[in-house]
Each structure stands twice: as C-alpha cells, then as structure tokens.
Amino acid sequence: SYVLTQPPSVSVAPGKTARITCGGNNIGSKSVHWYQQKPGQAPVLVIYYDSDRPSGIPERFSGSNSGNTATLTISRVEAGDEADYYCQVWDSSSAHVVFGGGTKLTVL
Amino acid sequence: QVQLVESGGGVVQPGRSLRLSCAASGFTFSSYGMHWVRQAPGKGLEWVAVIWYDGSNKYYADSVKGRFTISRDNSKNTLYLQMNSLRAEDTAVYYCARDRTAMVVSDDAFDIWGQGTMVTVSS
C-alpha cells in the first residue's frame, strides 16, 4: 500500500518560513492535499491539488509537488499557525485515500 | 450554511455494533462523494471509507473492510457508517467529510468536515 512520510515535528520562529514535507514514491504524479488541525478541532483544508488555496486561506500558505516530495510552505509564520498538518493523496492502485502521519508545527 | 453533523457515537463493548450518522445541510448532498475519517486519541488521521455521490462505488480501508459498511440516503441528506464486530482499536473520533467538487470521484480534497463523534470500544 502507498505510504506518505512526514516529519513528526517542525519548529519555526515567528515571521520565518516553515516547510513541511510529505514523501512518497513518485508523489509528483499524484494530487496532494494538505490539512491543518488545531487541538480539539476538525481538520481544515489549506491546500488542494498540490498548490491551490481554498477561499479564506491566507496567501502565506503555498504548496508544491515534484518527484518524491510534496511541500507545504508557510511564510511569515504566526502563532496562530501552530497546529498539526497532514498531507493526503488518493492511491488509485488500491482505491484508498492515504494520509501522512502528520507534522506538529511549533512556533517558537 | 454548509454543514455536516455527526451523531451516534458512544461507548460500546468489543464485538458489538454501532451505527453513525452524518446529517448534511446547505448543499446538494446527492452531488458529492462522502468519506468517513477517524482519529484515535493522540494519533493521526486515518481514512475509513468513501461512497461516491451516486452510491455506485464504495471503498474501505483494509482495517475495517468486512466489518464496516458505508451507505447514504440522498432523500434524507444523510451518510451512515454501520460498524460491526467492533474492536478496541476502533476507538476514535469519527469525522464525516465531503469531496470538494461535485460529481468528481477519487482524488479530490475534503473541503467540509463535521465536528466528529467519539466512539469508545471498551468492556
């Protein structure tokens, strides 16, 4: 089955840039979606189809996908961005949705 | 407004059954694929099942296949998850979620999520 690998944690100072990676075999050939989840809340979609932003998501959130790595980039990080972030793809070979293990973003 | 509201969670003994519901409002429910996603305490998101907008296809995670059944009643704008032979490892918050694009199947994102309903499997 298809596996997505995320770093368990990423730390960044306020105002700096955070990059959260999502690794998978030839993930660049798939569409990657990213979710933000704060404690006690449901996930929120922040990036879809690799790099598109839903309405209401700040331009500070961006995404890219190539080769074996997809990346969620958060520019000018704010304290309110502290959350868990999950990547997600559809694995057509198994007809399964796959989530990465999640990355806890800490704002120092 | 566009909304999903789950219900039916609770405490259940191992081996017993439970049915979750997800009431949709504010959009044309019959046009969207729907999913169940769960999250064990302190753990990450785990996809459980999907049903296409017209109910023509259903797919399940290996961990629940043969025990869980996803269904929908488009006349009632409601999604269901029938959970049989429950195990301790099924303990989790269960979310329903909507595909972002109407009439699209497979690789879409989930743009609307419910608030979740907690299922605890314990003797």
Side-chain angles (χ1 to χ4, degrees):
Chain A
S1 60
Y2 195 76
V3 176
L4 295 175
T5 301
Q6 298 182 236
S9 63
V10 167
S11 298
V12 63
K16 299 299 186 182
T17 298
R19 294 179 179 84
I20 299 172
T21 58
C22 176
N25 184 35
N26 197 26
I27 194 174
S29 67
K30 300 182 182 297
S31 297
V32 180
H33 315 300
W34 291 91
Y35 302 88
Q36 175 194 70
Q37 186 181 34
K38 296 182 179 180
Q41 298 183 18
V44 172
L45 178 66
V46 294
I47 292 289
Y48 64 97
Y49 288 134
D50 299 342
S51 59
D52 291 337
R53 267 179 298 103
S55 60
I57 300 301
E59 292 183 6
R60 301 184 297 103
F61 288 79
S62 62
S64 63
N65 183 21
S66 178
N68 293 319
T69 304
T71 303
L72 172 68
T73 301
I74 309 171
S75 304
R76 303 181 299 282
V77 166
E78 303 174 356
D81 298 331
E82 191 162 278
D84 294 326
Y85 292 84
Y86 296 89
C87 56
Q88 176 243 311
V89 301
W90 169 260
D91 178 28
S92 57
S93 64
S94 62
H96 283 29
V97 170
V98 180
F99 284 100
T103 297
K104 180 176 180 58
L105 177 67
T106 298
V107 181
L108 300 171
Chain B
Q1 75 277 25
V2 176
Q3 193 174 4
L4 297 172
V5 178
E6 302 95 337
S7 61
V11 180
V12 62
Q13 293 179 329
R16 304 298 291 266
S17 299
L18 204 61
R19 188 178 82 157
L20 305 182
S21 300
C22 169
S25 59
F27 65 98
T28 304
F29 178 71
S30 60
S31 295
Y32 289 85
M34 296 295 298
H35 301 253
W36 287 99
V37 177
R38 69 184 181 182
Q39 187 169 35
K43 303 298 185 181
L45 301 174
E46 179 187 16
W47 175 77
V48 173
V50 59
I51 184 167
W52 287 10
Y53 63 94
D54 57 2
S56 61
N57 280 286
K58 307 172 186 180
Y59 299 105
Y60 300 90
D62 294 346
S63 58
V64 306
K65 194 170 185 179
R67 300 187 299 123
F68 290 11
T69 302
I70 189 171
S71 63
R72 64 192 300 158
D73 186 337
N74 286 342
S75 68
K76 295 182 178 179
N77 293 337
T78 303
L79 175 74
Y80 301 101
L81 185 67
Q82 177 67 42
M83 304 186 295
N84 298 332
S85 303
L86 282 162
R87 305 167 180 168
E89 53 265 36
D90 295 319
T91 294
V93 174
Y94 284 74
Y95 297 100
C96 59
R98 187 191 84 167
D99 276 336
R100 190 186 62 86
T101 311
M103 317 293 268
V104 166
V105 298
S106 73
D107 72 346
D108 206 0
F110 308 159
D111 69 334
I112 305 296
W113 296 67
Q115 85 289 349
T117 187
M118 182 71 202
V119 173
T120 302
V121 184
S122 174
S123 55

